[in-house]
Amino acid sequence: MSDSVRPGTNVMPTVPNSARIWNYAQGGQDNYQLDRDLADVMMGDFPEIKTAAMESRAFQERVADHVVREGGIRQLLDLGTGIPTGRGTHGMAQRAAPESRVVYVDNDPVVLNHASSLRSSPEGKIHYLQQDFRLVDKVLDDAAQTLNLDEPVALLVLSTLGHFPPAEAADLVERYTSRLASGSYLAVCDTIETPGVLRMQEHYRAADPEGAYLARTPDQIADCARGLTLLPPGLRPLPEILVPAGEDIPAGAADCVQWGFLAIKP
């Protein structure tokens, strides 16, 4: 596997990156050796990280499909998107409704290299913002060049809030949702605290003390839904949310360390 993530990029990171580690755990090739080395250590101590990464991506796909097909949403804002794939937010949304518009936000220049190759349906639009999404007003003002914020938007904040202390993360999400129209959706997921996750967290902290990914308690994840209405089944392990009609909850779903919810703004 080459350490040139995309031809022409000049980005050679000196610390691991959660988006690239997630990509490696999902079986992708868009990562560097230092990401793979840390991921291998983490998976050796906590092999469930691979399942967590796959469940997070599957939840993203289910959410994008659901809010478009069932919720009538035609515009989506994906914060901290990580390395996008063809079956990511835009792929699922535009498959359900080709006119859907999607804005991705991430501060990783490697993600930018990948996002620049994304192709929209002729009827829709994809835009990518390389931006720190803590700059809420800046992000929303830029996103408004593609999205109509007077109409409902689906906001996706998936497996990314662990880069912030829990209280700061909840405040940040509330600042976004306060500017969205009634009828907007919010999808959030993150890794809950377990002994294995906390060991994994320490490996990350040792490799990058300033960028360590912090696990949450379920209550801390639920706090991100302030002022919104949780949709059934509420805050649950990801395999239990948006289970396709006619299917049962998968065996072992309760053991998933990725928890989340889908909520709507009244």
Side-chain angles (χ1 to χ4, degrees), residues 37-213:
D37 288 344
L38 176 57
D40 286 339
V41 171
M42 294 163 67
M43 286 191 284
D45 210 18
F46 187 67
E48 291 89 341
I49 184 177
K50 187 173 182 67
T51 299
M54 299 299 290
E55 291 293 351
S56 176
R57 181 67 73 183
F59 181 60
Q60 175 191 29
E61 295 174 1
R62 294 198 303 275
V63 165
D65 183 77
H66 178 83
V67 298
V68 173
R69 291 186 190 276
E70 304 299 328
I73 294 293
R74 296 297 183 267
Q75 40 187 17
L76 301 93
L77 178 60
D78 191 332
L79 300 181
T81 181
I83 296 171
T85 67
R87 282 180 57 86
T89 301
H90 73 281
M92 301 302 291
Q94 293 186 343
R95 186 173 73 173
E99 69 274 23
S100 297
R101 289 165 287 159
V102 178
V103 173
Y104 289 112
V105 183
D106 205 292
N107 65 353
D108 184 351
V110 173
V111 176
L112 173 61
N113 277 303
H114 286 270
S116 65
S117 68
L118 298 179
R119 295 293 176 264
S120 174
S121 64
E123 303 92 335
K125 189 170 184 179
I126 301 172
H127 186 59
Y128 175 79
L129 299 176
Q130 185 177 347
Q131 188 59 266
D132 182 342
F133 71 74
R134 289 174 294 186
L135 304 176
V136 177
D137 291 335
K138 173 64 173 172
V139 168
L140 288 176
D141 289 346
D142 288 349
Q145 303 303 307
T146 302
L147 310 177
N148 179 2
L149 300 185
D150 292 328
E151 298 293 333
V153 173
L155 177 66
L156 283 66
V157 194
L158 307 180
S159 303
T160 191
L161 291 173
H163 289 295
F164 311 104
E168 180 183 347
D171 289 344
L172 186 60
V173 173
E174 186 176 29
R175 289 175 60 200
Y176 275 97
T177 58
S178 68
R179 284 195 54 183
L180 298 182
S182 176
S184 292
Y185 286 84
L186 170 68
V188 169
C189 71
D190 230 308
T191 308
I192 62 165
E193 292 181 349
T194 69
V197 166
L198 293 177
R199 290 195 302 271
M200 181 178 66
Q201 180 175 292
E202 289 309 306
H203 288 307
Y204 204 140
R205 192 190 304 274
D208 180 14
E210 295 184 0
Y213 200 90

Side-chain angles (χ1 to χ4, degrees), residues 4 12 33 35 49 73 107 123 167 246-247 249 258:
S4 178
M12 285 298 294
Q33 187 62 51
D35 304 310
I49 184 177
I73 294 293
N107 65 353
E123 303 92 335
E247 295 187 15
I249 294 175
Q258 281 274 310

Side-chain angles (χ1 to χ4, degrees), residues 191-261:
T191 308
I192 62 165
E193 292 181 349
T194 69
V197 166
L198 293 177
R199 290 195 302 271
M200 181 178 66
Q201 180 175 292
E202 289 309 306
H203 288 307
Y204 204 140
R205 192 190 304 274
D208 180 14
E210 295 184 0
Y213 200 90
L214 306 174
R216 334 258 89 168
T217 67
D219 285 346
Q220 288 167 342
I221 297 175
D223 194 30
C224 294
R226 295 174 190 164
L228 307 183
T229 301
L230 287 180
L231 299 178
L235 176 68
R236 299 298 304 159
L238 296 191
E240 298 183 14
I241 305 173
L242 299 178
V243 178
E247 295 187 15
D248 295 327
I249 294 175
D255 297 328
C256 181
V257 297
Q258 281 274 310
W259 283 46
F261 63 79

